[in-house]
Amino acid sequence: GAGVSQSPRYKVAKRGQDVALRCDPISGHVSLFWYQQALGQGPEFLTYFQNEAQLDKSGLPSDRFFAERPEGSVSTLKIQRTQQEDSAVYLCASQREDNEQFFGPGTRLTVL
Amino acid sequence: AQKVTQAQTEISVVEKEDVTLDCVYETRDTTYYLFWYKQPPSGELVFLIRRNSFDEQNEISGRYSWNFQKSTSSFNFTITASQVVDSAVYFCALSESGNYDMRFGAGTRLTVKP
């Protein structure tokens, strides 16, 4: 596709469940970012990949959060033992060479 | 540390009015980038503009214009003759040179009524 896609668009999880969120970046974009957007707030940086290398994961809120991009294309953000405070929209963005970031539609995660 | 403040939480205007969204930033870097994004109800962030710190020229794109003033650390966004389709949340963001992550403001929700 022409843009960044994310799946699922909506995810409802019971507290304690593990979830996996997928991001398909724009083909050829080397850099990929994950952001967390709480209700009524701006996106906050979680982690950054350059190809398959995770160069920065300083924004991940806890060790329950894990991201991977094994082949330098599709990325998965995994959250283990979800908590209510994990409820948010998770945005993925891929970046072209001039540093412009293109965002996907996000996955809205609700933890009950 | 980089920081972006959007003091206006919500703005409501009537169609055809002009509206200005404020953005104030903090950074210790001399080289940085400023951005505006639009987030419609669909949720996707739509890129509007990027401006680097060495270019203080104001920019106009159709009904949109941006006023960058380093003296006041502001990067304000004006929509002229607003339309209902302009209703969205607008985010200002800052990226320091050498950093790849953007620091977003809390956003301003703009509602344009017919």
Side-chain angles (χ1 to χ4, degrees):
Chain A
V4 178
S5 61
Q6 293 185 246
S7 60
R9 289 295 311 278
Y10 303 91
K11 176 69 179 178
V12 178
K14 291 183 179 178
R15 192 174 57 173
Q17 277 187 333
D18 297 348
V19 298
L21 313 180
R22 177 187 169 107
C23 172
D24 284 80
I26 294 173
S27 177
H29 282 193
V30 168
S31 300
L32 183 146
F33 301 79
W34 283 98
Y35 292 85
Q36 180 189 59
Q37 186 176 17
L39 188 64
Q41 300 296 318
E44 292 194 0
F45 170 79
L46 292 178
T47 187
Y48 158 64
F49 288 87
Q50 190 166 48
N51 295 306
E52 68 278 5
Q54 188 175 19
L55 299 187
D56 189 338
K57 55 182 180 180
S58 63
L60 297 176
S62 79
D63 58 8
R64 297 186 293 103
F65 286 70
F66 172 76
E68 60 183 6
R69 193 186 185 198
E71 297 178 359
S73 179
V74 171
S75 178
T76 304
L77 177 66
K78 297 179 179 178
I79 309 173
Q80 297 176 326
R81 303 181 302 281
T82 52
Q83 304 294 315
Q84 285 189 324
E85 61 263 28
D86 300 335
S87 296
V89 175
Y90 290 86
L91 294 165
C92 175
S94 69
Q95 181 173 284
R96 65 187 186 192
E97 290 179 356
D98 66 354
N99 293 333
E100 181 178 335
Q101 292 191 12
F102 294 83
F103 285 82
T107 295
R108 182 178 296 279
L109 173 65
T110 302
V111 181
L112 302 176
Chain B
Q2 55 191 88
K3 182 180 176 181
V4 176
T5 302
Q6 294 180 255
Q8 303 150 308
T9 305
E10 294 190 30
I11 299 175
S12 181
V13 299
V14 177
E15 206 170 19
K16 298 185 183 177
E17 283 186 20
D18 298 348
V19 58
T20 295
L21 310 182
D22 297 334
C23 173
V24 175
Y25 63 92
E26 293 179 30
T27 178
R28 293 178 182 174
D29 267 17
T30 55
T31 302
Y32 51 89
Y33 297 89
L34 294 163
F35 303 79
W36 275 95
Y37 282 85
K38 174 182 179 180
Q39 189 173 45
S42 61
E44 190 166 339
L45 281 165
V46 178
F47 170 84
L48 297 178
I49 190 172
R50 181 182 70 173
R51 176 53 50 87
N52 76 56
S53 53
F54 296 108
D55 183 4
E56 283 193 78
Q57 269 195 327
N58 291 332
E59 180 153 341
I60 298 175
S61 176
R63 296 184 297 108
Y64 296 170
S65 62
W66 290 269
N67 185 343
F68 176 28
Q69 292 198 343
K70 290 177 75 171
S71 60
T72 55
S73 296
S74 65
F75 187 43
N76 296 338
F77 172 33
T78 298
I79 302 176
T80 303
S82 59
Q83 300 176 0
V84 173
V85 294
D86 296 328
S87 296
V89 180
Y90 290 85
F91 291 97
C92 180
L94 166 69
S95 175
E96 293 175 334
S97 174
N99 287 355
Y100 35 75
D101 66 294
M102 287 190 288
R103 186 64 54 91
F104 286 81
T108 296
R109 179 177 299 278
L110 173 65
T111 302
V112 181
K113 298 178 181 177

